[in-house]
Amino acid sequence: MRLIIFIFSILLLFSCTKEISDGPYIYFSNEASIPDTISQSDAITFEITAIGQSYKVTRAQVFVNTTEYFDTTFAATDSITFNWVSDFSGKLRTQNVMIQAIDESEMIGTQTKKIYIE
């Protein structure tokens, strides 16, 4: 009987430690084809996908470091994919590209990609 209670307690402990994820999920759909290092004259196309989990997605944004470069609001949808082309001219060293999705309940999902500019 003690063994059964012990096993049940362990299972309950592991099931309670799982993080709840309610906000939208956003990611770079073409991450495998995005280079880690580029020159200033190169242009990169980012294919970005946002998927609503508990609520539908209504907004997507792209930031390079802390500067907002792309912001779009659209009718609530379960998922959306869009392309954003950037040339990084005039930028040097490491650039942090952060994508962000917002759903109907104002929950935010983010993803970041670092790119080194030569």
Side-chain angles (χ1 to χ4, degrees), residues 43-109:
I44 298 177
T45 300
F46 295 98
E47 185 176 301
I48 301 163
T49 300
I51 302 170
Q53 291 191 35
S54 297
Y55 296 93
K56 295 182 177 191
V57 179
T58 59
R59 185 174 181 189
Q61 297 171 300
V62 177
F63 298 87
V64 176
N65 294 331
T66 58
T67 305
E68 183 176 4
Y69 277 85
F70 180 80
D71 187 0
T72 183
T73 303
F74 41 85
T77 184
D78 290 326
S79 67
I80 189 166
T81 299
F82 58 93
N83 292 324
W84 177 64
V85 180
S86 179
D87 61 1
F88 294 100
S89 59
K91 299 201 180 289
L92 290 173
R93 304 191 195 259
T94 303
Q95 303 295 312
N96 294 311
V97 178
M98 183 184 81
I99 54 177
Q100 178 172 293
I102 302 171
D103 66 13
E104 293 173 311
S105 67
E106 299 297 320
M107 297 205 56
I108 299 171

